[in-house]
């Protein structure tokens, strides 16, 4: 993440730990933005269909039994009600609020009744106009006894988001909110159709 970007532009949020050891879910999993480290596919392998706008990000993800498809979350090519579980692991931070709304409506459409959407992401406050215009979080993710150290960074202006903004979009799309958990700078939301 962030190769070639001047460190002076980066606003580093304090590093956080995400433990997915106990995270469980049902059925076939659609992972939105599943390139990069491919965290969800590392945990659930062949149960995962990982989609990403970027072919390069999918190619960079570790190869396992997950199915990888280049696809836009705002325009999913699946029929209605195909997945019991949908995940988004630090992907919404890469979308504008308008794109998030489109994606969450699509997520609702392709989810089976009784299905669940799990989202992990960072809280992004409005940009302060300063020279630091790239927001970065460093994470240690634990899965299957392994600690994966990674960092996710994105161009900051126009990317405000919070648990409240995601919950509001989820409700507007038709979801019922089951759980909201907040860390200092990241959060987790579970929604149900
Ligand atoms: C850095 S990854 C997030 C971490 C990743 N889930 C992992 O396990 O490491 C975020 C991904 O979201 C993808 N993305 C952004 N907007 C998207 C969209 N509209 N549809 C699908 N993928 C998108 C980006 O291409 C990027 O690969």
């Amino acid at each position: 993440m962030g190769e070639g970007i001047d460190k002076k532009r980066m606003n580093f949020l304090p590093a956080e730990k995400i433990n997915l050891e106990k995270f469980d879910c049902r059925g076939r999993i659609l992972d939105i933005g599943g390139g990069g480290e491919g965290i969800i596919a590392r945990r659930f392998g062949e149960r995962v269909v990982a989609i990403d706008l970027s072919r390069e990000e999918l190619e960079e993800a570790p190869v396992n039994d997950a199915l990888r498809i280049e696809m836009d979350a705002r325009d999913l090519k699946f029929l209605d009600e195909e997945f019991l579980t949908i995940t988004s692991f630090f992907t919404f931070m890469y979308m504008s609020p308008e794109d998030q709304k489109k994606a969450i409506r699509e997520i609702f459409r392709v989810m089976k009744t009784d299905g669940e959407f799990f989202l992990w992401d960072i809280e992004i406050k409005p940009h302060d106009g300063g020279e630091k215009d790239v927001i970065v979080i460093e994470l240690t993710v634990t899965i299957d006894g392994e600690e994966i150290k990674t960092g996710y960074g994105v161009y900051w202006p126009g990317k405000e988001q919070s648990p409240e903004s995601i919950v509001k979009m989820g409700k507007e799309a038709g979801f019922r909110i089951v759980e909201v958990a907040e860390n200092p700078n990241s959060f987790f939301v579970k929604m149900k159709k």
Side-chain angles (χ1 to χ4, degrees), residues 136-156:
V136 182
I137 188 148
E138 291 172 305
L139 293 177
T140 303
V141 185
T142 309
I143 25 173
D144 299 334
E146 188 191 355
E147 285 200 335
I148 300 157
K149 289 189 189 300
T150 187
Y152 299 129
V154 72
Y155 183 65
W156 185 357

Side-chain angles (χ1 to χ4, degrees), residues 1 31-42 51-58 61-62 69-76 87-96 99-100 103 121 139 141 148 150-153:
M1 175 276 319
D31 186 33
I32 304 288
E37 297 287 344
I39 296 288
I40 299 297
R42 290 198 205 195
I51 67 117
D52 202 296
L53 201 53
S54 156
R55 188 182 199 91
E56 291 72 33
E57 290 282 345
L58 286 173
I69 313 178
E70 196 181 330
M71 199 185 292
D72 188 340
R74 298 165 296 183
D75 179 25
L76 295 174
T87 53
S88 173
F89 192 80
F90 295 87
T91 295
F92 268 47
M93 61 187 275
Y94 291 88
M95 297 184 207
S96 68
D99 288 347
Q100 291 177 343
D121 226 297
L139 293 177
V141 185
I148 300 157
T150 187
Y152 299 129

Side-chain angles (χ1 to χ4, degrees), residues 113-174:
T113 303
D114 193 42
E116 290 167 321
F117 176 41
F118 302 90
L119 175 144
W120 295 259
D121 226 297
I122 54 169
E123 174 144 17
I124 307 182
K125 301 216 160 35
H127 183 241
D128 57 11
E131 69 166 356
K132 291 186 189 295
D133 61 358
V134 175
I135 193 153
V136 182
I137 188 148
E138 291 172 305
L139 293 177
T140 303
V141 185
T142 309
I143 25 173
D144 299 334
E146 188 191 355
E147 285 200 335
I148 300 157
K149 289 189 189 300
T150 187
Y152 299 129
V154 72
Y155 183 65
W156 185 357
K159 294 279 175 34
E160 298 89 74
Q161 65 170 14
S162 63
E164 292 75 26
S165 69
I166 300 292
V167 160
K168 184 166 180 286
M169 281 180 205
K171 285 184 179 167
E172 283 169 1

Side-chain angles (χ1 to χ4, degrees), residues 14 16 123 125 182-186:
E16 290 193 5
E123 174 144 17
K125 301 216 160 35
E182 295 187 49
N183 296 317
N185 292 291
S186 71

